[in-house]
Amino acid sequence: MIYRFRIVLDNDTDKDVFRDIEIRETDTMEDLHNTITQSFGFDGTEMASFYLSDDEWNQGEEISLFDMSDGLNPVKLMSRSVLKDTVHEGLNKLIYVYDFLSMWTFYVELAEIVEETEGTDYPNLMFVHGQIPDEAPEKNFEAESFDDYNEFEDDLDVDDYDNLDFDENWN
């Protein structure tokens, strides 16, 4: 089977930049990474990662190009992750980050799964829309607002030592 993906650059402008690609379900996430970098004109030499995502594009588990861990926590690697085992109709969204210094960020969505077309070479760049800017769009990292938070509104009576559990009584 063939997976059709739309890869959209995360930018804050009114100019859409995306690519539609086809790739075999038996290819690896590294193959998808290589296809994305080539389709957007990157040289592919920078560090990159995919992140599993939900429907609201919340960043989940990482699938990394290289193992940069200290060996204590196992890391999923692109070269060992097959597309059909990672992406499917139930989990069809990924966040892709290329070059962690520039933070090129893309939304990757599985659009459909189709039969292989005879005579087509895969991976296949189907459609190109928009030009990638010279520099990565700037990211605004904003924390949640805690204006309504009051550290003293926890309903605990600190003078009632007998009813405090271990964590509350520990200082």
Side-chain angles (χ1 to χ4, degrees):
M1 299 302 288
I2 299 300
Y3 280 13
R4 288 185 176 159
F5 286 99
R6 172 158 287 174
I7 301 97
V8 180
L9 174 65
D10 177 18
N11 64 27
D12 291 332
T13 68
D14 56 352
K15 298 181 181 180
D16 291 331
V17 178
F18 64 89
R19 307 291 184 260
D20 291 343
I21 63 168
E22 295 178 314
I23 190 168
R24 288 184 176 92
E25 69 177 353
T26 54
D27 286 341
T28 66
M29 295 298 291
E30 186 173 15
D31 296 323
L32 180 59
H33 153 77
N34 291 332
T35 304
I36 292 171
T37 57
Q38 290 170 10
S39 70
F40 282 96
F42 296 122
D43 60 14
T45 60
E46 301 296 334
M47 183 61 188
S49 286
F50 285 100
Y51 298 90
L52 302 180
S53 179
D54 60 16
D55 287 337
E56 281 81 44
W57 297 103
N58 293 309
Q59 183 175 312
E61 183 180 11
E62 179 181 16
I63 303 169
S64 182
L65 183 58
F66 301 111
D67 187 353
M68 303 294 285
S69 71
D70 53 10
L72 300 176
N73 296 323
V75 175
K76 277 190 168 183
L77 296 176
M78 291 183 200
S79 61
R80 295 185 190 149
S81 300
V82 178
L83 276 171
K84 68 178 179 179
D85 297 334
T86 307
V87 182
H88 44 79
E89 290 173 344
L91 194 148
N92 63 347
K93 290 180 172 63
L94 302 165
I95 297 170
Y96 173 70
V97 177
Y98 176 77
D99 185 355
F100 286 96
L101 294 177
S102 297
M103 293 296 289
W104 290 98
T105 305
F106 300 86
Y107 298 113
V108 180
E109 185 169 7
L110 176 62
E112 63 183 331
I113 302 170
V114 297
E115 294 286 333
E116 189 168 334
T117 304
E118 193 173 319
T120 301
D121 291 329
Y122 297 101
N124 176 35
L125 178 59
M126 297 172 47
F127 187 75
V128 173
H129 180 81
Q131 294 297 319
I132 192 122
D134 292 335
E135 294 181 10
E138 190 172 319
K139 300 285 178 261
N140 294 323
F141 297 100
E142 297 177 13
E144 293 180 34
S145 174
F146 290 104
D147 293 338
D148 298 335
Y149 177 72
N150 183 344
E151 64 182 303
F152 301 108
E153 289 183 7
D154 55 9
D155 297 328
L156 293 177
D157 182 3
V158 293
D159 295 324
D160 185 12
Y161 295 111
D162 295 333
N163 290 327
L164 296 177
D165 69 16
F166 177 80
D167 291 332
E168 294 160 340
N169 203 9
W170 182 258
N171 48 2

